[in-house]
Amino acid sequence: MSDSKLILVTGATGYVGGRLVPRLLAAGHRVRCVVRDPARLQGREWLDQVEIVAGDMFQPDSLVAAMRDIWVVYYLVHSLGEGSDFWERDLQAARNCAQSAHAAGVERIIYLGGLGDPQADLSPHLRSRQQTGDALREAGVPVTEFQAAVIVGSGSLSFEMIRYLTDRLPVMICPKWVFTKIQPIAIRNVLDYLVAALTCPESTGRILEIGGSDVVTYAEMMKGYAKARGLKRRLLAVPVLTPRLSSYWVHLVTPIPANIAQPLIKGLGNEVVVRDDSALRLFPGIKPLDYDTSVRLAVTLLETHGLETMWSDALTSSQGSRTPMILTTREGLIRERRQLLVAASTESVYRTFASLGGERGWLYMDWAWQIRGMLDRLCGGVGMRRGRRDTQELRIGDSLDFWRVEMVDPGRLIRLRAEMKVPGRAWLEFEARSEPLNKTLLLQTAYFEPKGLFGLLYWYALYPIHSLIFSGLIRCIAEQAAGKS
């Protein structure tokens, strides 16, 4: 039995990896996660059940400790959104991982790639997913490669694009790719295959195509989602909407930025249907769900706020993939702090500021936050449409409107890093400090590190409106917290 052997999960901060880890633990496996910044796993319910090692796929030396005593590696890393050369980065990361695995004596790599006929004219994105599998095989470690099309699940990238377009547009002007055939698969079936591969030695060294029980078009996927939500939608197909124009439209209407949407949309013209049913024969216990059932499950989780992970958990933003920094007071960093003594418990104050954003909004002048988000989207930024993963809980790495959660000290403090386009770097921090007589000192601090003269001009030009908004915000937080106590 494999419970004495150690499994390494890469990409544990991502959508699939973050859901795979608890499934592996539930199956009795020992798990180690390698991440660039271990702090980004804070808040995961399974954190104390796994080993965490800091490592970067682009720094092979950092992988030595991660690979030690490993039996199987799950490779779930993807560089989409980190520049136009994402495919080159994917190949380099895969080669580094495979070479490190080979040197450490790893027995197998399990990889989740992209479905598509390799003989067809695949888009750069789909081609890169398959080339990544080839790169993993170069070092000689046996690879089990699962190839999937659209993953249907609450919070998945492709499903979120379909969800937002359908939710927000009663009449959708669509390019011809909406009639391309596709075989979507439920996230739970993807996880079923990934876990089952460990106990199926016959899957070693194989490329296995996986999909749901239905072959549909993107138009049918949108209509199926609309039906599950009780919406009536019309689709009007036009022949002139290019992938570039489509990506800008997706950028404006959904939380997905154009630099991520464009390579995805280019791949939507490729028919991605399972041609080889080997996976069904190797794993007879896995029953692929139909699309309607997959959508209903995803919608149920969305409505009950049961999201485990979201596509935006991965560090993709207009600020790039830099490691979150630890703030210190130093020359060039502007700090603006406000504080109020609140007649409420520390817990009540924390709950109030930790639930800001998303559907609840920002309590004071929320329309101004929305306008800032719209301007950011028009400039190519992330905007406000990402919302939040959960209405109450925050964990490091979560996206929250146009912020990224950089630090969480439950019951005491949260720090948000701005991911909108600004000439510099900005943070917003909330802290609740216990005071005598069941009172709490609420501290709200805005930090800004300007980039050059334009950064300074930006700060001082917007200071009056920022001062108004932040003064009103801390006052509203205090009033709501006091009302809850």
Side-chain angles (χ1 to χ4, degrees):
M1 186 64 182
S2 62
D3 57 357
S4 63
K5 298 181 179 179
L6 196 53
I7 296 167
L8 181 68
V9 176
T10 69
T13 59
Y15 177 72
V16 176
R19 298 191 180 205
L20 176 63
V21 171
R23 292 286 293 267
L24 291 172
L25 293 172
H29 299 292
R30 295 171 56 220
V31 178
R32 176 185 293 160
C33 299
V34 56
V35 293
R36 282 183 289 189
D37 179 13
R40 292 198 54 227
L41 289 177
Q42 182 179 326
R44 303 302 201 272
E45 293 181 357
W46 40 261
L47 187 60
D48 61 352
Q49 302 175 56
V50 302
E51 294 181 26
I52 306 295
V53 176
D56 190 328
M57 293 299 149
F58 298 102
Q59 298 178 12
D61 290 346
S62 71
L63 300 179
V64 175
M67 294 289 178
R68 188 173 296 119
D69 301 322
I70 291 297
W71 170 45
V72 172
V73 172
Y74 280 95
Y75 190 78
L76 303 170
V77 175
H78 197 357
S79 299
L80 186 64
E82 297 191 9
S84 58
D85 63 342
F86 69 86
W87 59 276
E88 293 179 338
R89 292 172 59 82
D90 274 343
L91 293 180
Q92 187 58 57
R95 291 188 178 110
N96 290 344
C97 180
Q99 290 166 7
S100 299
H102 182 267
V106 171
E107 294 183 24
R108 184 161 45 139
I109 296 172
I110 300 176
Y111 166 60
L112 179 62
L115 184 61
D117 184 354
Q119 304 304 316
D121 184 20
L122 295 178
S123 71
H125 171 242
L126 288 178
R127 181 69 67 188
S128 76
R129 303 309 294 143
Q130 298 191 357
Q131 289 175 339
T132 296
D134 295 335
L136 289 170
R137 283 182 279 271
E138 288 177 6
V141 179
V143 176
T144 298
E145 178 179 348
F146 290 104
Q147 295 184 345
V150 168
I151 295 176
V152 182
S154 53
S156 80
L157 179 56
S158 298
F159 180 69
E160 287 296 284
M161 183 168 71
I162 290 170
R163 179 169 80 92
Y164 275 92
L165 287 171
T166 309
D167 273 344
R168 292 176 172 170
L169 301 173
V171 178
M172 289 178 277
I173 300 175
C174 304
K176 59 184 180 181
W177 53 255
V178 298
F179 300 111
T180 301
K181 290 182 179 180
I182 184 171
Q183 195 163 350
I185 182 170
I187 179 62
R188 63 182 58 201
N189 285 151
V190 173
L191 298 173
D192 288 339
Y193 281 116
L194 290 174
V195 174
L198 289 172
T199 53
C200 180
E202 296 82 6
S203 66
T204 304
R206 302 282 297 273
I207 296 177
L208 299 169
E209 301 178 348
I210 56 176
S213 62
D214 294 336
V215 175
V216 296
T217 66
Y218 287 97
E220 290 169 335
M221 289 179 68
M222 292 177 179
K223 291 178 180 178
Y225 174 80
K227 179 181 178 183
R229 293 275 287 157
L231 303 171
K232 292 184 178 181
R233 294 294 183 259
R234 292 189 62 192
L235 276 62
L236 301 177
V238 296
V240 293
L241 206 54
T242 65
R244 181 183 292 272
L245 289 175
S246 297
S247 68
Y248 293 149
W249 181 240
V250 168
H251 177 95
L252 289 173
V253 177
T254 81
I256 302 168
N259 66 322
I260 292 178
Q262 188 169 337
L264 281 179
I265 289 171
K266 286 182 178 178
L268 301 185
N270 291 118
E271 186 174 289
V272 279
V273 175
V274 172
R275 298 166 295 116
D276 182 345
D277 66 353
S278 296
L280 292 175
R281 290 183 277 108
L282 280 175
F283 304 98
I286 298 175
K287 306 300 180 185
L289 299 175
D290 60 84
Y291 177 69
D292 287 344
T293 301
S294 302
V295 169
R296 285 198 301 272
L297 291 170
V299 169
T300 298
L301 284 176
L302 288 168
E303 292 176 343
T304 58
H305 306 290
L307 295 185
E308 294 178 70
T309 57
M310 291 182 65
W311 66 271
S312 54
D313 288 346
L315 202 60
T316 52
S317 74
S318 58
Q319 296 291 335
S321 60
R322 61 170 65 90
T323 301
M325 66 174 289
I326 302 300
L327 291 179
T328 57
T329 302
R330 66 184 189 275
E331 185 178 357
L333 184 68
I334 300 170
R335 184 181 72 172
E336 182 183 3
R337 169 168 288 178
R338 291 176 172 80
Q339 59 185 36
L340 282 177
L341 190 61
V342 187
S345 66
T346 304
E347 179 184 358
S348 178
V349 173
Y350 175 83
R351 286 202 313 268
T352 303
F353 63 64
S355 60
L356 288 169
E359 294 180 2
R360 184 189 180 205
W362 288 84
L363 298 184
Y364 184 76
M365 290 179 65
D366 189 61
W367 57 269
W369 296 81
Q370 298 298 328
I371 289 175
R372 181 63 178 89
M374 287 189 288
L375 292 174
D376 190 58
R377 293 297 282 178
L378 290 173
C379 294
V382 298
M384 289 282 282
R385 293 199 174 101
R386 297 186 304 179
R388 53 183 293 157
R389 178 186 57 85
D390 186 276
T391 56
Q392 299 293 326
E393 180 195 42
L394 285 179
R395 63 192 186 199
I396 291 176
D398 276 356
S399 58
L400 198 169
D401 295 339
F402 48 51
W403 305 93
R404 178 75 59 177
V405 180
E406 185 174 272
M407 181 177 179
V408 177
D409 185 350
R412 189 183 73 88
L413 179 144
I414 64 170
R415 182 185 301 145
L416 310 175
R417 186 181 73 256
E419 293 194 332
M420 78 284 277
K421 287 185 175 294
V422 292
R425 294 191 286 180
W427 297 262
L428 183 59
E429 182 179 275
F430 300 92
E431 183 179 359
R433 294 182 184 174
S434 180
E435 295 285 326
L437 302 176
N438 195 35
K439 292 187 177 182
T440 299
L441 181 64
L442 168 61
L443 298 104
Q444 175 186 284
T445 309
Y447 299 89
F448 185 63
E449 187 180 58
K451 185 177 181 181
L453 177 60
F454 184 63
L456 283 172
L457 292 174
Y458 169 87
W459 172 265
Y460 288 112
L462 294 181
Y463 182 80
I465 185 68
H466 282 170
S467 179
L468 175 64
I469 291 173
F470 289 142
S471 295
L473 177 59
I474 191 172
R475 187 172 63 251
C476 287
I477 292 172
E479 291 172 354
Q480 286 213 4
K484 291 178 181 178
S485 293

